[in-house]
Structure formats: structure tokens, C-alpha cells
Amino acid sequence: MAYFYPEVSRTFSEYLLVPGYSSSSCIPNNVSLKTPLVKYRKGVEECPICINIPMVSAIMQSVSGVKLATALAKEGGISFIYGSQSIESEAEMVRSVKRSKAGFVVSDSNLDPDSTLFDVLELTKRTGHSTIAVTDNGKSDGKLLGVITSRDYRLSRMTGEEKVTSFMTPFEKLVYGKDGMSLSECNDLIWDHKLNQLPIIDDDNNLVSFVFRKDYDSHKKNPLEVLDSHKRYLVGAGINTRDYKERVPALVAAGVDVLCIDSSEGFTEYQKQTLEFIRKEYGDSIKVGAGNVVDREGFEFLASCGADFVKVGIGGGSICITRETKGIGRGQASALIDVVGARDDYFKRTGIYIPVCSDGGIVYDYHMTLALAMGADFIMLGRYFARFDESPSNRVTINGTYMKEYWGEGSARARNWQRYDLGGDKKLSFVEGVDSYVPYAGPLKDNVQLTCAKIRSTMANCGALELDEFKAKAKLTLVSSVSIVEGGAHDVLLKDKQGIEVK
């Protein structure tokens, strides 16, 4: 006879938080949303990778591209670049995110002294970068001969055949820093000499990196941005259980900070094999999350396999039809509560804390707060991020309203068969996702900051200044269908929906 779970499978909409005592210091501005991303010995050591807001973007074609990954890292979260593309293109997207930031940036725009203005224009068009280093070998580590920016040439008065040595700013006229200088010292040189960029060289005049003024300004505007030890944005990437032996090394070489196995079902031998390979080849130096699971048994399995975080949720995504197609899944709130209980028991037993990621089931902003109260360490979001300017999908007009395209990895459009792979033919036998539209919402920055303001405000209402404290103090109550109605505007005529003219 089948096993029957005793509790009803519940969603976030069936719960509300009950406020707790708040001291005068418990105000939203004092609330920290910092959270661990990967496993560690809690109370003994610092988590090797933390994020400053508990939000990560889903491993989806219509969500996690270079622009969104950069924008989210600036706000304190992290993106997982989608893996349903070639190994080379995914690795290049990771490299693009790592190149786009801060501190000491290795030059990706380099020419040798025999290059011409035509080469400059072609390189600028290809990379989008206006600063070009001229080195003796045309590489990022060659002897620096000069620097070219857009101010060094005038297209209307040049033929394009001119050698770069005729119009570049030569080395002897450059202000430069030496390898080993601190970022603060380099920024001082930039400000003292009114520069936009500062080349960094070693004792043999070989180019090491650049420091850019715009990165200094960016950091001041984005105090929560998440950076690696080289002051580059953190970025994750999705992998599958088929080509991981080739994909993982390419992503590691590209500089990825954390990986995640992208699968609709994580309680499989395929995930075990993938994790075993990574641990054998890289030990614990490469961080990798796994999933998805919906119960205690699934968490215990992935924890024993060496997962650095565990992703929870099957069938709860807005574009996912796995439940109605296959009759498999679980209400996201019930799944999360069960897995979090297993996570806490595992920590008590081993001293190792494995973060839990809640993936799916988010309709309103307050659902994120509920997920955190229930014990999630961070939340993976697809539809939420797909609405923003920075998502890779097209903005279209539907019946006079701006919308963004949004499609599932199990849809006919994505055909990400690897995500739903159960060892059969290399194809998507039937769809488990839809192709859709979501309302366009504008820039990521404004929306994420608003959402985080709501989360901080609710935490303050519950008397908590940190997420661990929030999990410990949160009081949750089930709600009836009529109390849900009571919780919204009711028994009034809303002005902004009636077009009433007041005279």
C-alpha cells in the first residue's frame, strides 16, 4: 500500500505571520538580510560564500543572463547562469559577469602595435569596452606600450588604416600603478590625476590589470554588492547530469563561484554521480548545490552525497505544469517545512549547516518573507526576475500593456531535456512547462529594493534583526479562505480602478 503523508499539502497563501514584540531598536533600517549560500560548520567557522539579500535567480533561459546576473550581484544576490546552452557559451557568460566588475580587472581588450584603427573599432564593437591596451604581444599580460580610449581618435579625420602606435597614449605619458598596490591606493591615483582608468603593471612593465573610476562610483552606490576576493561580482551557473564532466571544468576555468545541478527531481543516482565526480576532481574547493526535493528523505540523500545547499520544490513554479502533467510534487510550504526540519536535525547531528533554497510557489512579495520564516536560507525566483529590464527575454506589447516573455525550461520553446532526464532518449518526450508573458516591471534595482524593504519591515514587526533570529521568533498561523478575502481591500469602491472624474 502507498504511503500517505498525514498533513495536507499546503502553499504559502495558507499562512500568515503573527507579529511579536519589537524593541525601539528593531526598525527596518537595522535589519540585515545577509545569509549563507553554501554549507559550513555553523558556530565554528565563517561561511565561505554569503549573499547580502536572500534572493537568487532561477537557472532559466528567460531569466539568468549576463545583464541580470550583474544587476543582481550589485544588489547583494546571485544569479545562476542557465545551463541549457552550449558549454562554451555558458562559460563565456560567466566570464562576462566576472569581467564586468570592480577592483583589479584583467583586460579583455588588447592589441599589438601592428594593429590599426579598423582593429580598434572591431574590437570595441565586439567587447563593448572603450579602453584598449596595446601590448607587445597583443595579450593581457604583455609589456604595456600604450592605452587607447575613445578620446584618442576622430573617425571623421582618419582613414582607419592608421597604426595604433600613431594615436595611442604612449607608455611614457601614462599614469600607472604597480602590482601589489591596494585598491584604495589605486583609487587615490585615479582621483588625484583625474583619470577614468589606471593600468597596473609589474616590475617588468607587463600589464597586470586595470582599475576603473566607474567601479569606484558603482561600489559607493551599491554597498550590498557581492564580490569575490578579486573584487569581481559573484556568479553561479547551472549544470546537468549528462555532460558535467566537460561542463564543470569549463565553468571553473571561467571563474564561476558556485554551481547548481539543474534538475526537476534531485532524489536520483544521477545527482549522486555528478556530486561524486566534482568531489573527486575538486574536493570541497568547488561549491555545488543540488535538488530539487520535497521531503526529509530527499534532503538526507543529497546531504550524504555532498551537496553544498539543497533546493526545495517540485511543480510550484508559475510556468511549471509538472503536477498536472505527471501528478508529482508537493505544496511548497509543506515541502519547505519538512526539508528545513531535516536540515536542522542534520546540523544537530553533524555540526554541518546545509542551507536550504526554496524554489517556486512565490506569488506575492510576502510569500518570500513566509519562506524565510519557515526556515529557507534563500529563495530562487524565476517569474519575479523575468519581469525586469535586465532579463534576457523580449519586451512586447499585449493589448496595450507592456509584457515580458517568460518560458519554462520544460516548455517546447526551451526543450531543456537534460533537466528532466531520467536516463532515456536524449529528448523532451512531453512538455512540463509553458511559454507565457508576465507584466513588465521596470529595472531590477527599484523592484528588489522595494521587496527587501517589505521583508525588513515584516522582520521588524516580528522583533527580529537577522534571519536566524527571524526563524527562531517567527509565529505562523494557518488562514481560512474567508480570512484571505478579509486581508485585502474589501467592501469599498477603489478609486484607481473606476476612472471617476471629481469636479
Side-chain angles (χ1 to χ4, degrees):
M1 180 178 176
Y3 174 79
F4 288 85
Y5 284 84
E7 298 294 329
V8 173
S9 184
R10 298 191 182 278
T11 68
F12 293 130
S13 290
E14 296 175 79
Y15 290 90
L16 284 175
L17 279 156
V18 175
Y21 172 74
S22 300
S23 68
S24 58
S25 63
C26 196
I27 60 174
N29 286 346
N30 292 340
V31 172
S32 169
L33 297 180
K34 186 175 182 179
T35 190
L37 188 71
V38 297
K39 69 181 178 184
Y40 68 113
R41 293 189 176 276
K42 191 173 183 179
V44 177
E45 61 185 9
E46 293 292 324
C47 181
I49 305 178
C50 290
I51 49 179
N52 289 323
I53 61 171
M55 302 167 72
V56 305
S57 68
I59 311 168
M60 300 177 69
Q61 296 173 11
S62 55
V63 178
S64 294
V66 173
K67 288 184 179 179
L68 191 130
T70 303
L72 182 54
K74 288 180 180 179
E75 296 308 310
I78 192 171
S79 289
F80 286 87
I81 301 296
Y82 65 91
S84 52
Q85 58 179 314
S86 71
I87 294 173
E88 294 75 17
S89 60
E90 185 180 14
E92 179 54 33
M93 291 178 78
V94 169
R95 281 191 292 269
S96 294
V97 177
K98 301 305 284 188
R99 283 196 299 259
S100 64
K101 170 66 201 168
F104 300 94
V105 181
V106 176
S107 177
D108 69 342
S109 299
N110 312 287
L111 293 172
D112 61 44
D114 291 327
S115 301
T116 66
L117 177 59
F118 283 134
D119 296 315
V120 171
L121 299 177
E122 190 278 331
L123 183 60
T124 300
K125 181 179 179 181
R126 176 159 49 86
T127 65
H129 298 155
S130 59
T131 299
I132 297 172
V134 180
T135 62
D136 63 345
N137 60 5
K139 298 180 179 180
S140 61
D141 59 355
K143 191 178 294 295
L144 183 62
L145 304 179
V147 172
I148 299 170
T149 70
S150 59
R151 293 183 293 182
D152 290 315
Y153 53 87
R154 294 181 67 181
L155 297 179
S156 61
R157 299 189 179 185
M158 301 173 75
T159 66
E161 300 287 350
E162 294 86 355
K163 292 287 185 71
V164 292
T165 50
S166 68
F167 59 88
M168 70 182 186
T169 301
F171 178 79
E172 54 269 21
K173 293 186 178 181
L174 291 173
V175 177
Y176 54 83
K178 298 301 291 286
D179 191 23
M181 292 177 62
S182 69
L183 184 59
S184 178
E185 291 172 324
C186 293
N187 281 320
D188 286 342
L189 276 178
I190 287 175
W191 284 95
D192 291 343
H193 294 274
K194 300 180 180 180
L195 306 173
N196 287 323
Q197 65 283 316
L198 180 75
I200 307 299
I201 61 173
D202 63 18
D203 291 336
D204 297 319
N205 289 359
N206 294 314
L207 180 63
V208 176
S209 59
F210 276 95
V211 176
F212 293 93
R213 174 192 287 263
K214 66 181 178 66
D215 290 335
Y216 175 86
D217 294 338
S218 173
H219 181 68
K220 293 300 181 183
K221 294 176 183 177
N222 302 291
L224 294 179
E225 62 185 0
V226 286
L227 309 172
D228 64 17
S229 59
H230 299 288
K231 305 299 182 183
R232 301 172 302 182
Y233 290 129
L234 294 185
V235 63
I239 59 174
N240 62 66
T241 58
R242 283 276 186 157
D243 64 8
Y244 57 87
K245 292 182 180 179
E246 296 76 37
R247 191 173 292 268
V248 171
L251 294 171
V252 171
V256 73
D257 296 287
V258 58
L259 301 170
C260 183
I261 303 173
D262 183 27
S263 174
S264 64
E265 215 284 274
F267 199 177
T268 70
E269 184 177 354
Y270 306 113
Q271 295 228 353
K272 180 180 180 181
Q273 293 170 347
T274 305
L275 289 165
E276 286 177 343
F277 167 79
I278 293 173
R279 293 295 170 244
K280 179 181 178 182
E281 295 296 319
Y282 301 98
D284 290 327
S285 64
I286 299 303
K287 307 302 181 182
V288 54
N292 288 15
V293 297
V294 293
D295 64 2
R296 174 179 292 268
E297 192 177 3
F299 173 88
E300 290 282 356
F301 171 76
L302 292 178
S304 68
C305 292
D308 284 296
F309 65 83
V310 173
K311 201 144 63 79
V312 179
I314 294 177
S318 60
I319 41 68
C320 183
I321 56 172
T322 293
R323 295 181 192 175
E324 63 184 67
T325 302
K326 297 168 63 174
I328 192 170
R330 194 177 187 187
Q332 187 65 13
S334 294
L336 180 60
I337 292 167
D338 198 4
V339 171
V340 163
R343 188 265 323 273
D344 292 345
D345 289 344
Y346 184 86
F347 171 62
K348 292 176 184 177
R349 190 169 70 247
T350 67
I352 298 173
Y353 186 86
I354 301 178
V356 166
C357 170
S358 181
D359 177 19
I362 301 296
V363 180
Y364 305 107
D365 283 358
Y366 85 89
H367 287 171
M368 299 185 210
T369 314
L370 288 172
L372 296 169
M374 291 173 182
D377 295 281
F378 54 96
I379 304 145
M380 181 169 279
L381 301 157
R383 181 193 62 85
Y384 177 86
F385 287 117
R387 304 172 302 144
F388 302 151
D389 287 322
E390 294 84 356
S391 73
S393 65
N394 296 319
R395 190 178 75 173
V396 297
T397 304
I398 306 294
N399 297 326
T401 302
Y402 281 129
M403 310 286 283
K404 291 276 284 187
E405 294 179 313
Y406 179 46
W407 60 96
E409 290 296 293
S411 68
R413 180 171 182 174
R415 304 206 69 82
N416 182 4
W417 64 269
Q418 294 96 332
R419 188 177 196 277
Y420 302 88
D421 181 32
L422 291 174
D425 296 334
K426 297 181 179 181
K427 66 177 183 179
L428 191 69
S429 299
F430 53 89
V431 298
E432 295 188 44
V434 298
D435 194 351
S436 64
Y437 301 102
V438 290
Y440 167 68
L444 178 145
K445 184 181 184 70
D446 295 345
N447 286 277
V448 166
Q449 290 185 355
L450 177 60
T451 297
C452 289
K454 294 177 183 178
I455 295 173
R456 290 188 180 97
S457 181
T458 304
M459 287 175 61
N461 288 146
C462 295
L465 293 175
E466 296 180 344
L467 287 175
D468 277 350
E469 185 182 16
F470 185 43
K471 296 170 190 174
K473 289 185 174 181
K475 296 180 290 184
L476 291 156
T477 180
L478 282 168
V479 296
S480 67
S481 58
V482 289
S483 67
I484 293 174
V485 174
E486 181 186 62
H490 58 89
D491 301 313
V492 293
L493 186 65
L494 297 179
K495 290 183 178 180
D496 60 353
K497 294 185 179 181
Q498 301 304 318
I500 298 173
E501 182 179 356
V502 179
K503 294 183 178 179

